[in-house]
């Protein structure tokens, strides 16, 4: 009997201790020490909206509870694993599924490992060389870069010829597949990371399944787009304007349901519709959105990520691409409720 009473007393005491810990508030210095971080780091996370304190005292001191400390530990763990600040913010907000973010990070680390292996190979070859090591290293990298550029052109030609049907206008192929004119991105030498990305791209287009997926995506595009009604130049200008608007919204952390993002989506869909004014018809929007969303796959996402490494100028497109598809999905959900 006494043992049972003592156990109940211990349980009650533990619950009280847990509640006391939960309600306790800690200064920024204490939090930094408890998490192995630093005061400037914790303060920076507050400034960028990643970790807000539970309370700011009348004297301007930040105070944190156990909940914020746990969030900080999670942030520090993700930073240790090399996740970017923007990725972490979106993961914690639920904008990016954690599994998807982890998969992206694994791919990025695989690429980094191949990049380091390539750099190590160059250094090992240089070490074995006789004479001027620095000159040999320079000549070796020049040779690798020239070979990579030739391979890049060959892979792109193979990619376009395998993905696009014969009836697809040649002048539209580059801009439809990547959103930009590839010929403007082929200048200069490739870095080690870009060379590794090129190897990844070559592997993708040696995979018949991936080629089939991309070809299906292009064929679906043809079903909803009337390419002859607009010139490549006009399309490029309007797409660039649309992209800049969406990028600005993304940088300001606009949500998919925000008016500015939804207006941007309507303007984009208008490019594909046989109308001149907004809004486009509900039936066309649904057909267009469902077609785009149904064509998304892990391989297409992987293709875009690899291209953003190979062509740094495409990185902003990756940022807007995610927001774009989230906005399409949100709009469809609202239409289903109506």
């Amino acid at each position: 009997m006494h043992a049972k009473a003592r156990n109940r007393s211990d349980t009650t005491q533990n619950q009280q201790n847990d509640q006391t810990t939960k309600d306790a508030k800690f200064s920024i210095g204490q939090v930094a020490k408890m998490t192995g971080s630093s005061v400037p780091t914790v303060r920076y996370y507050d400034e960028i909206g990643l970790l807000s304190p539970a309370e700011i005292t009348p004297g301007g001191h930040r105070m944190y509870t156990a909940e914020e400390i746990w969030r900080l530990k999670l942030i520090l763990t993700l930073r240790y694993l090399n996740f970017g600040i923007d990725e972490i913010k979106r993961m914690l907000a639920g904008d990016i599924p954690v599994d998807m973010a982890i998969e992206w990070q694994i791919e990025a680390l695989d690429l980094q490992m191949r990049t380091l292996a390539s750099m190590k190979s160059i250094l090992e070859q240089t070490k074995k060389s006789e004479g001027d090591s620095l000159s040999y290293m320079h000549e070796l990298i020049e040779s690798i870069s020239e070979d990579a550029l030739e391979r890049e052109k060959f892979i792109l030609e193979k990619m376009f010829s395998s993905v696009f049907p014969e009836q697809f206008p040649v002048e539209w192929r580059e801009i439809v597949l990547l959103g930009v004119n590839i010929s403007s991105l082929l200048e200069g030498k490739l870095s080690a990371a870009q060379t590794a990305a090129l190897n990844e791209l070559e592997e993708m287009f040696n995979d018949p399944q991936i080629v089939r997926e991309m070809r299906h995506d292009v064929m679906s595009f043809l079903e909803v787009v009337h390419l002859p009604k607009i010139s490549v130049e006009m399309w490029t200008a309007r797409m660039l304007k649309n992209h800049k608007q969406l990028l600005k919204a993304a940088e300001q952390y606009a949500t998919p349901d925000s008016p500015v993002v939804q207006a941007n989506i309507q303007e984009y869909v208008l490019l594909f519709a046989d109308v001149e004014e907004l809004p486009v018809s509900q039936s066309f929007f649904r057909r267009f959105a469902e077609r785009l969303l149904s064509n998304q796959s892990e391989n297409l996402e992987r293709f875009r990520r690899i291209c953003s490494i190979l062509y740094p100028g495409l990185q902003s497109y990756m940022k807007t691409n995610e927001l774009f598809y989230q906005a399409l999905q949100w709009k469809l959900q609202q239409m289903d409720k109506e």
Side-chain angles (χ1 to χ4, degrees):
M1 180 68 72
H2 292 297
K4 289 183 179 179
R6 187 168 55 254
N7 288 338
R8 284 197 298 270
S9 176
D10 290 343
T11 299
T12 301
Q13 184 63 45
N14 288 336
Q15 289 174 342
Q16 290 175 344
N17 290 338
D18 289 343
Q19 186 63 41
T20 300
T21 302
K22 184 178 180 181
D23 294 338
K25 292 184 174 64
F26 305 89
S27 70
I28 192 170
Q30 290 173 311
V31 169
K33 186 176 182 180
M34 292 165 65
T35 58
S37 183
S38 68
V39 170
T41 296
V42 181
R43 186 181 295 117
Y44 171 69
Y45 289 158
D46 178 22
E47 291 171 353
I48 63 174
L50 192 57
L51 179 72
S52 299
E55 175 189 334
I56 297 180
T57 68
H61 299 291
R62 295 173 172 87
M63 302 301 293
Y64 299 81
T65 66
E67 183 176 346
E68 287 78 45
I69 292 172
W70 166 244
R71 184 181 176 95
L72 176 58
K73 288 179 178 178
L74 182 58
I75 292 168
L76 295 172
T77 299
L78 293 171
R79 288 297 291 148
Y80 175 82
L81 293 172
N82 209 33
F83 282 90
I85 293 295
D86 187 58
E87 281 182 304
I88 295 173
K89 184 175 290 188
R90 294 165 71 189
M91 286 171 66
L92 294 179
D95 294 335
I96 302 178
V98 175
D99 288 348
M100 181 185 294
I102 290 174
E103 182 61 34
W104 290 356
Q105 195 66 1
I106 290 172
E107 285 186 14
L109 291 172
D110 284 341
L111 183 59
Q112 288 177 32
M113 290 168 66
R114 283 188 284 275
T115 300
L116 291 172
S118 175
M119 294 169 67
K120 181 182 177 183
S121 176
I122 292 173
L123 292 172
E124 287 177 341
Q125 291 182 60
T126 301
K127 185 179 178 180
K128 295 176 183 178
S129 67
E130 297 179 358
D132 189 344
S133 295
L134 291 178
S135 294
Y136 180 85
M137 185 188 300
H138 173 73
E139 291 173 4
L140 184 59
I141 293 174
E142 286 281 319
S143 175
I144 292 172
S145 296
E146 289 176 10
D147 177 62
L149 286 172
E150 288 302 315
R151 285 178 55 231
E152 179 187 30
K153 293 176 183 178
F154 173 78
I155 292 169
L156 289 175
E157 289 173 1
K158 178 181 179 180
M159 177 173 67
F160 294 134
S161 63
S162 61
V163 168
F164 289 96
E166 292 182 2
Q167 66 269 34
F168 204 101
V170 175
E171 64 272 18
W172 282 88
R173 297 186 180 189
E174 293 182 352
I175 193 169
V176 167
L177 193 57
L178 292 177
V180 294
N181 189 335
I182 288 296
S183 61
S184 66
L185 301 174
L186 294 178
E187 301 176 357
K189 301 172 186 175
L190 297 183
S191 67
Q194 287 174 307
T195 301
L198 186 62
N199 293 336
E200 290 279 312
L201 199 61
E202 187 171 25
E203 286 182 15
M204 290 193 73
F205 283 92
N206 283 329
D207 186 329
Q209 175 61 32
I210 295 176
V211 172
R212 281 194 295 271
E213 285 184 23
M214 301 197 77
R215 189 176 179 86
H216 179 263
D217 183 46
V218 169
M219 291 300 292
S220 298
F221 184 86
L222 273 179
E223 292 180 20
V224 294
V225 179
H226 307 286
L227 294 179
K229 76 170 188 171
I230 185 171
S231 68
V232 175
E233 292 76 18
M234 185 179 295
W235 169 273
T236 303
R238 292 173 69 177
M239 286 293 289
L240 182 59
K241 177 184 176 183
N242 187 269
H243 163 70
K244 287 181 176 179
Q245 291 173 342
L246 198 57
L247 179 60
K248 183 178 180 180
E251 290 175 341
Q252 295 175 346
Y253 299 103
T255 55
D257 61 334
S258 65
V260 64
V261 173
Q262 284 300 314
N264 183 278
I265 297 301
Q266 287 285 337
E267 290 178 7
Y268 178 85
V269 176
L270 183 65
L271 293 174
F272 300 85
D274 290 322
V275 295
E276 297 298 331
E277 295 181 2
L278 291 171
V280 296
S281 70
Q282 293 267 40
S283 60
F284 181 86
F285 186 96
R286 177 178 292 279
R287 181 163 63 95
F288 178 84
E290 289 179 344
R291 180 80 66 177
L292 285 185
L293 291 169
S294 67
N295 288 335
Q296 296 309 297
S297 68
E298 290 183 7
N299 284 325
L300 287 177
E301 284 297 318
R302 180 184 170 207
F303 168 72
R304 294 188 185 104
R305 289 196 296 276
I306 291 172
C307 285
S308 71
I309 296 171
L310 185 56
Y311 308 111
L314 292 178
Q315 290 176 5
S316 62
Y317 283 89
M318 283 293 295
K319 192 167 188 175
T320 60
N321 188 68
E322 224 174 303
L323 181 58
F324 172 81
Y325 283 105
Q326 289 173 354
L328 276 183
Q329 186 67 58
W330 181 87
K331 181 61 178 178
L332 281 180
Q333 291 172 351
Q334 297 307 302
M335 291 170 65
D336 290 338
K337 294 177 182 178
E338 295 175 356

